[in-house]
Amino acid sequence: MKGSRIQLAVCLLLLAQARVAVAETDIDLGLSSDLAGGTLSPSAVMGIDTGFRLAGGEGRAFALDFSAEGAYSLLDPWFSGSANLEISAYRMSGPANLGLRLQTVAVLPATALPGSLAFALSLPFTLNGPGLSLSLAPVVSIDPLDTGYGSFGLDSGISFMVGNLVLKPGLGFALIYPWSGGTILSFKPGLTAAWYPGIPLSLEISGEYRMSTGDAALPVDALELKGSLAAAPVPWLLLTCLASSSMGSLTTESSLSLEASFTLARKDGGRELALPLMLGYESSAAGTGISLGLGLRYIF
Amino acid sequence: MKPRSIAFLALLFLLADLSAQGSSPDWYASSGLSGRYDGVKAELQALVSSAERAGIPPELLLARMVEGGEKRVDPARLVLVLTRDLDNYSKVLSVLSALPAVQTRDKASLIEGGGIALRSGMAFETFRRALLTAAGKGVSPRRAIDALIAVAAVDSRLALDDESEGRLALSLACSAEKVERFSSLSSLFVRGKAGKIGNQDLVGLAVSILDGGGGFLELEREIIRRIK
């Protein structure tokens, strides 16, 4: 009860001192098709990404973000989707920043995957210097489904700039209790390098090694590599390339997606209509697939 | 020798010639523009003279002429572009003249920087207001113009509205971030945009962090967090 009152007081304080409110929504509609085995498997895809932000005095901010995406197969009675809700409160002013973040991620069951419903509460703390930033975030998460788990952990990282390069070594650990029994202790050393060369282009490469040990059924070690490239060579074109690979002790998966988003119209207030073209590639134990997509994106 | 090197040498000779002779029509002969641009020589000469009369260092226009010649820009278009440049330089000079802190030796590079911001599509009123407000807060004209150039580079790709440009430029100019890093702003915004963060949200985020004493490192962290 006392905690609720404190939260309410914090919210009222934020609202009372609010000076900037921003709400933006991004809607994607499109058609996509898998080309596995040379046969077309068309599906309708949709996505929404919306958020509301309230900025108060002295860098205080409250944000609510919701995103969801889904795909409906036009040939089989089959639907897949996921949703993400994040509520966060931050103080982003001065050298020491503190936040409180509650995140809910739901993934619908799909072929060979049971689905999940994860809630995570974290308390990110950041110390910022002119060229160095330190962060610590204790995280508690729970997935109440039968296939789920309970866990707590700590993510830590350092960011520093070397010229136009941001280097981010990090280390995380988590103690995971699957409901099926046993315990998993997971360590995640990682390194990310992001390049911001001063032209409308950015490149990020990251690697993370997940070492797991314990007496649960499936403790898995895995090396995850990710890369992303974003570029705006001309005002009406935004290119995005995402690549990832996970090489685990049990499975190896990799994916690559390319998107060219053509801006069709822009209006004041950030409204924008774009035509994204997507090309995707996925490889896993289940097989290899290529997908093509075409859609409309409206931001308002 | 590469064409760019030849053009650079031509510009050096031209500037040396210009400083030795004032702006006599002989500059044209040593500019490397002879031949292709003979038909618009009188217009080019008139532009250089106008620049001198307005107090704008003529080498700024001459450098643009050589750049245009190197790119083999159509003569009529070159005159049009240079006329626009001269207009931009005049506007920038009019704002700089209202600032007490501008040193004569810095004037040419400040005018050139302001010209780059306006040429990138920034509205003059946005430029004027941000520069004067930043100067009123004790920011040096050099830093303020570098911030305006960085924001104009963002605008050239993501089409920010005028109000957002002004807010962002002022926050950047008054921030603790190093000037050498200003150019990374366009890369950071493209990263956020590719992660489906809208323009208004990106500007709000950047202004909030920069006004709070933070820099690009903090902005980068927050952009990546939101993308994830």
Side-chain angles (χ1 to χ4, degrees):
Chain A
M1 190 68 183
K2 190 178 175 185
S4 303
R5 282 181 186 165
I6 291 171
Q7 285 171 5
L8 183 65
V10 169
C11 289
L12 288 174
L13 192 65
L14 278 168
L15 289 167
Q17 298 189 357
R19 59 180 185 198
V20 183
V22 179
E24 279 189 336
T25 301
D26 177 326
I27 293 175
D28 286 280
L29 293 172
L31 287 171
S32 173
S33 182
D34 280 332
L35 298 172
T39 52
L40 284 174
S41 175
S43 56
V45 292
M46 62 218 82
I48 183 167
D49 198 329
T50 188
F52 174 74
R53 269 162 238 300
L54 205 58
E58 297 179 6
R60 282 188 289 262
F62 171 82
L64 189 150
D65 290 290
F66 173 77
S67 65
E69 57 186 24
Y72 180 74
S73 171
L74 300 179
L75 295 182
D76 310 314
W78 166 102
F79 188 84
S80 69
S82 64
N84 179 66
L85 175 68
E86 185 174 320
I87 300 169
S88 50
Y90 276 90
R91 182 183 173 276
M92 291 197 300
S93 173
N97 299 345
L98 187 63
L100 178 69
R101 190 188 316 156
L102 175 65
Q103 188 177 28
T104 306
V105 181
V107 180
L108 288 176
T111 314
L113 291 172
S116 62
L117 177 64
F119 299 91
L121 181 68
S122 63
L123 199 68
F125 173 72
T126 310
L127 267 178
N128 292 300
L132 185 74
S133 169
L134 306 170
S135 69
L136 275 178
V139 187
V140 178
S141 55
I142 185 169
D143 179 345
L145 301 181
D146 289 345
T147 51
Y149 60 89
S151 82
F152 67 88
L154 183 72
D155 290 326
S156 62
I158 302 173
S159 294
F160 56 96
M161 288 186 93
V162 182
N164 292 325
L165 205 62
V166 178
L167 296 174
K168 294 178 271 189
L171 178 66
F173 96 88
L175 199 53
I176 306 164
Y177 300 97
W179 304 143
S180 55
T183 306
I184 298 172
L185 180 61
S186 171
F187 286 97
K188 297 181 293 179
L191 176 66
T192 298
W195 186 44
Y196 301 99
I199 53 174
L201 178 147
S202 75
L203 176 68
E204 182 176 291
I205 295 171
S206 66
E208 182 177 271
Y209 188 68
R210 186 169 304 200
M211 293 177 284
S212 301
T213 182
D215 55 1
L218 289 174
V220 175
D221 289 0
L223 174 64
E224 292 185 359
L225 300 173
K226 290 181 182 173
S228 76
L229 173 74
V234 286
W236 44 267
L237 177 63
L238 183 64
L239 298 170
T240 312
C241 174
L242 302 171
S244 70
S245 181
S246 174
M247 291 160 276
S249 50
L250 296 178
T251 59
T252 296
E253 296 175 354
S254 55
S255 68
L256 175 71
S257 73
L258 301 168
E259 181 183 290
S261 179
F262 297 88
T263 303
L264 302 178
R266 280 185 171 124
K267 296 283 182 187
D268 283 348
R271 283 181 296 160
E272 192 174 307
L273 184 67
L275 179 79
L277 299 176
M278 289 85 72
L279 173 65
Y281 166 84
E282 276 189 4
S283 173
S284 67
T288 302
I290 295 173
S291 62
L292 287 169
L294 166 69
L296 267 184
R297 177 170 298 149
Y298 183 48
I299 304 170
F300 58 97
Chain B
M1 188 177 281
K2 292 178 179 176
R4 186 176 289 274
S5 308
I6 294 168
F8 181 68
L9 282 177
L11 179 61
L12 286 180
F13 282 125
L14 171 63
L15 294 178
D17 187 44
L18 193 70
S19 59
Q21 302 176 32
S23 62
S24 84
D26 291 347
W27 67 264
Y28 183 79
S30 40
S31 69
L33 295 171
S34 301
R36 182 174 170 79
Y37 296 96
D38 285 351
V40 293
K41 179 181 173 184
E43 286 93 328
L44 297 177
Q45 176 61 43
L47 285 167
V48 172
S49 301
S50 298
E52 280 186 313
R53 279 198 303 277
I56 295 164
E59 59 264 31
L60 296 180
L61 273 190
L62 294 170
R64 292 281 289 156
M65 277 182 204
V66 171
E67 186 187 345
E70 185 189 329
K71 293 178 179 171
R72 302 186 63 78
V73 173
D74 174 74
R77 176 156 175 73
L78 182 65
V79 172
L80 190 70
V81 169
L82 291 173
T83 304
R84 205 176 296 148
D85 282 345
L86 180 58
D87 183 46
N88 285 339
Y89 292 150
S90 302
K91 287 175 176 170
V92 175
L93 182 61
S94 72
V95 186
L96 291 175
S97 302
L99 304 177
V102 177
Q103 302 290 319
T104 309
R105 66 176 188 278
D106 296 335
K107 199 169 74 171
S109 84
L110 292 175
I111 293 173
E112 184 183 27
I116 290 170
L118 295 181
R119 196 158 65 230
S120 300
M122 180 174 279
F124 173 63
E125 186 51 30
T126 305
F127 174 88
R128 189 189 70 81
R129 198 176 300 165
L131 182 52
L132 292 178
T133 310
K137 292 185 174 191
V139 176
S140 74
R142 176 76 270 165
R143 183 178 173 87
I145 284 185
D146 283 341
L148 285 158
I149 292 172
V151 172
V154 174
D155 176 57
S156 72
R157 289 297 183 270
L158 303 187
L160 305 178
D161 57 65
D162 290 348
E163 190 200 338
S164 296
E165 279 186 89
R167 281 173 60 208
L168 184 57
L170 189 59
S171 290
L172 183 58
C174 299
S175 73
E177 186 53 80
K178 292 178 182 174
V179 172
E180 308 88 83
R181 292 182 184 158
F182 279 8
S183 63
S184 292
L185 188 70
S186 64
S187 304
L188 284 165
F189 267 61
V190 164
R191 179 78 176 99
K193 189 76 176 177
K196 295 186 179 179
I197 305 177
N199 285 0
Q200 300 279 312
D201 211 354
L202 281 167
V203 170
L205 186 61
V207 167
S208 169
I209 287 173
L210 294 171
D211 285 356
F216 286 175
L217 204 54
E218 200 177 337
L219 177 59
E220 198 261 355
R221 178 188 291 279
E222 190 59 19
I223 286 173
I224 298 300
R225 185 190 72 77
R226 290 202 185 170
I227 291 173
K228 284 176 178 172

